[in-house]
Amino acid sequence: MSEQMTAKVDVDLAQPSILSRRNPLRYLMLLGGLAVLVLLPYWIYPPVAMDILCWGLFAISVDLLLGFTGLLSFGHAAFWGGSAYCTGLIATHWGVPFPVAVVGGAVFAMLIAWPIGYLSVRRTGIYFAMVTLAFAQMLYFIANQARDLTGGENGLQGIPRSFFGIELVEEDSFYFYYVGAAMILVGIFIAWRVVNSPFGRVLTAVRDNPARARALGYDVERFKIKAFVISAGLAGLAGGVFAISHQFASLQELMWTTSGKVVLVTVLGGIGTLWGGLVGAGVVVTLEDFLASSGFEGIGLITGSIFVLIVLLFRHGIWGTGRNVLRRYVLDRRKRARD
Amino acid sequence: MTGTPLLETRALTKEFRGFRAVSDVDLTVAQGTVHALVGPNGAGKTTLFNLLTGFLTPTSGTVTFDGQDITGRAPEQIAPLGIARSFQITSLFEAMTLREHLELALASPTGMGKQWWRSVTRMATFKDRAMDLLEQVGLADRAGAPASSLAYGQKRALELAIAMALDPKLLLLDEPTAGMGIEDVDRTIALVKQLSAGRTVVFVDHNMHVVGSLADQVTVLQSGQILAEGPYEQVRADERVITAYLGATHE
C-alpha cells in the first residue's frame, strides 16, 4: 500500500475550541491581544518585543504545516534565513524602503520553497523532516561559501532600515517596532485566513486521513505543496523583519538549530492552535533575553529543561492546555445548569 | 442503459514481490447492476478495489471505465470521473462534524477547496444537499457532532453518505457490513438498496445474506483469480465455490 495511503501525522492535538465563531470572548481575546501588541515595547526593550513577534509568526508558519497539514518541517531555517539574507541584500543594494525588501525576501522564500516542497511532500513523518533538513543544510553551506554575497561567517552587516525618510522609524527601535508589528500582523492574518478557509478545511482532511481525501478527489500532494509554499512565505516575512530589526543577517539564521528552535517554540505554544506560536515565542524569547543579560552561559540548558517539563506536563502546549481547561469548565457549567 | 459495460478489466494483474495478489482478472460490470465480489480472505478483493480506484498501480492489464482507459491513474484523477468508494476499515476525518464531511465531499468537484483567501463559512453553500444526504442515511440529527462520537454502524452509514455525495456513476463498497450486528446489517442492506437505485454498484462482502439480498451478479475470487461468475443462485450451487469456501475435505 502506498505510503500516502496510510501515513498520517502522529500528533495528539488539543480539543477544538469550545467557543463558537461569534462568541464575545473571542473578540475580547482579540482586543486583549492587540492591546498587548501595542503596549509590549513599553514593558520590554523594543528590539526584544520585535523578536517575540518575528519568532511568533515563524512558529505560526511551522504550525500551519505541523498542526494543520500534518507535516513536520525540520528545515524552516532555510526560509527564515534565506529571506533574512535576501531582504538584507535588497535593502543594502537597492536602498528601497524596508517593507519592500521584506516582501522581496518573503517572495524569495516562496520561490525556493516550491522545488523543496515538490521534492519533499512525497515523504511523510521523519523522512519529510530529514529531506527538509537536508535542503536547509544545503542552503547553509551555499551561504557560507558565497562570501562575496553573504559575507560568509561575518554575516551581512549594516543592513539599512530606510523608511520613506521618516527618521523616527529609521533610527528609533521603539517606533520601528510598530511598523514591523504591522507587517507581522498581516502575516498572522494571512495564516488565520488560510486555516479558516475552504483550503484550510481540505488541509485538515489531508492531515487526518490522506487516503480518504484522495478518494474524494483532492490532490493531496498539490495541497501539501501549496501549504508548504504559503508557510515558507510567512516564515520569510518573519525572517525579513527580523533581519531589518537587527540590521544584520548571519549564518545563525540558516543553522539547523534555528529550525529546531522554531519547532520547540511551536510545540511549547501548542500544535494546531495557531495562536500558541505567539505565546511560545513570548516565553522563549524573553527567557533567553533574561538569561543572556544575567550573564548565564547555559541558556540552552534552561530552555531545554522547560521544554521537557512542558511537553511532559502539558502535552498540548500552553495554548492547547488553556483551551482544554476552558472547554472542561464550560462543559461542566452547562452540565450543572442542566441538572 | 442496462447491459453495456460501465467497468471492464482485462488481464488485470498485481504482483507484490513475486506474489500475485490479483491474477489475470477479466471483470465486466454492466451498467445499472449490483455486482458482488466474494471470496475467502486473501482472495484479492481489496487489492482489486485498490487497483480500480488508483490506490495501487497494476503490474499489467487494463482498467476501462465508461469507455476511458483509466489504468494507472491516481485516485484524485479517478474520483472526479464518477467512481466513489468506501473503505473496509471505517475511514473518516475524526475531528470534523458530519456536515463538514459531506460539505467537503460536495465541494470537491467545484474546486472550492483551492480557495485559501475566503472564509470557510462559504462551505455552507452545500449545507442543504449535505443535510439531505444525512437525512437519507438517518443521521440528520447528528449533523453537528464530530465523527468520532458516532457508533460503529452510524460511521458506516456516514461512509455511504459521503460516497453518495460524489454523485458517482459507480459505487464501490468495501465490506459495507463488516463487523455489524444482524440489525445493522439489515438496515445497511435497505440503505444500500435505496441509495443505489439506478446506479452501478460493486461491493465486497463475506455475509452471504447481504450478497443474496443485494447482488444481481456475483463474482467469486480465489487466490487472485476468478473462480466463478453468474447470478447468486447459480454461483451458490457451483461445486468449485462450495469447495473453495468449505475446503476440499467435506465429501
Side-chain angles (χ1 to χ4, degrees), chain A residues 1 5 21 193-194 196-199 201-202 204-205 208-209 211-219 223 226, chain B residues 55 75-76 79 85 91-93 96 100 104-105 107-108 112-113 115-121 123 159 162 166:
Chain A
M1 222 168 275
M5 182 155 175
R21 289 184 72 83
R193 179 76 289 172
V194 167
N196 294 290
S197 69
F199 178 79
R201 178 66 56 76
V202 178
T204 327
D208 290 346
N209 197 335
R212 172 48 103 182
R214 295 185 84 188
L216 292 181
Y218 290 108
D219 188 337
F223 275 90
K226 278 188 192 166
Chain B
F55 281 95
E76 60 268 20
R85 73 172 288 181
S91 175
L92 299 164
F93 308 114
M96 281 188 204
E100 285 167 354
L104 196 73
S108 174
M112 187 189 278
Q115 299 177 351
W116 59 266
W117 59 91
R118 289 191 136 131
S119 169
V120 71
T121 51
M123 298 285 273
E159 281 263 346
I162 294 169
L166 297 173

Side-chain angles (χ1 to χ4, degrees), chain A residues 169-329:
Chain A
V169 173
E170 290 174 353
E171 275 153 33
D172 191 333
S173 59
F174 178 83
Y175 294 100
F176 167 78
Y177 168 87
Y178 290 101
V179 182
M183 298 193 69
I184 297 292
L185 263 186
V186 171
I188 295 172
F189 175 76
I190 291 172
W192 174 82
R193 179 76 289 172
V194 167
V195 166
N196 294 290
S197 69
F199 178 79
R201 178 66 56 76
V202 178
L203 289 186
T204 327
V206 167
R207 178 194 71 194
D208 290 346
N209 197 335
R212 172 48 103 182
R214 295 185 84 188
L216 292 181
Y218 290 108
D219 188 337
V220 164
E221 264 179 26
R222 192 171 295 181
F223 275 90
K224 282 183 180 173
I225 294 172
K226 278 188 192 166
F228 192 76
V229 170
I230 294 172
S231 166
L234 297 175
L237 183 63
V241 174
F242 187 84
I244 296 286
S245 170
H246 289 253
Q247 305 195 282
F248 180 52
S250 75
L251 282 175
Q252 173 69 40
E253 292 1 302
L254 284 170
M255 269 226 313
W256 65 271
T257 50
T258 299
S259 297
K261 184 175 155 187
V262 73
V263 173
L264 184 149
V265 170
T266 310
V267 174
L268 211 57
I271 298 166
T273 62
L274 202 72
W275 308 108
L278 289 165
V279 179
V283 171
V284 170
V285 173
T286 38
L287 198 70
E288 279 184 349
D289 179 59
F290 172 73
L291 293 173
S293 57
S294 72
F296 183 69
E297 296 280 324
I299 296 175
L301 201 67
I302 303 277
T303 49
S305 311
I306 291 181
F307 177 66
V308 170
L309 268 180
I310 294 206
V311 170
L312 287 179
L313 293 176
F314 313 105
R315 267 181 318 150
H316 299 122
I318 299 168
W319 193 278
T321 303
R323 204 158 75 177
N324 286 351
V325 168
L326 178 72
R327 184 188 182 81
R328 229 169 299 138
Y329 172 74

Side-chain angles (χ1 to χ4, degrees), chain A residues 23 54 64 99 116 168 242 276:
Chain A
N23 191 303
C54 291
L64 193 63
I116 294 177
L168 270 181
F242 187 84

